[in-house]
Amino acid sequence: SITEALYFCNEFMTQDTSLGSIYIEEQRLDEASRTLDRALDTFNRAEDTVPLDRFSLLRVRTVLHARQGQWAESAQDFADALSIA
């Protein structure tokens, strides 16, 4: 059903966010970037996503970009996250 598909889509995105966070903690920043980019792409294509899940993804991306020294991207993700809160 559509409801089940949406549930699994949201579950996939939150798992990618969690995995990205683990990669950041392990200093595997390239893998974190790929994982979080994939999650963001899924969020951007999906309908009816949970705002708190998107907020969590953007918060983790903020940390990733800061660790990579990408300050403009970090600030943008932070601003986007704040607009949800």
Side-chain angles (χ1 to χ4, degrees):
S1 77
I2 292 175
T3 303
E4 289 174 339
L6 287 172
Y7 171 80
F8 287 115
C9 182
N10 283 335
E11 190 67 25
F12 171 75
M13 290 180 286
T14 58
Q15 287 176 358
D16 270 354
T17 300
S18 297
L19 182 58
S21 184
I22 291 168
Y23 283 149
I24 291 168
E25 290 302 314
E26 293 181 350
Q27 299 298 313
R28 296 165 61 181
L29 302 182
D30 289 338
E31 290 167 286
S33 182
R34 284 191 299 274
T35 300
L36 296 173
D37 286 349
R38 180 177 61 224
L40 183 61
D41 182 55
T42 304
F43 265 108
N44 289 337
R45 289 183 289 117
E47 295 180 14
D48 299 326
T49 59
V50 178
L52 185 57
D53 291 342
R54 187 177 185 86
F55 173 84
S56 296
L57 169 62
L58 291 168
R59 183 185 53 80
V60 173
R61 281 176 47 100
T62 296
V63 172
L64 171 64
H65 289 308
R67 296 251 178 113
Q68 292 174 318
Q70 299 172 342
W71 303 111
E73 293 87 347
S74 182
Q76 183 62 56
D77 282 340
F78 184 70
D80 291 346
L82 285 179
S83 73
I84 295 169

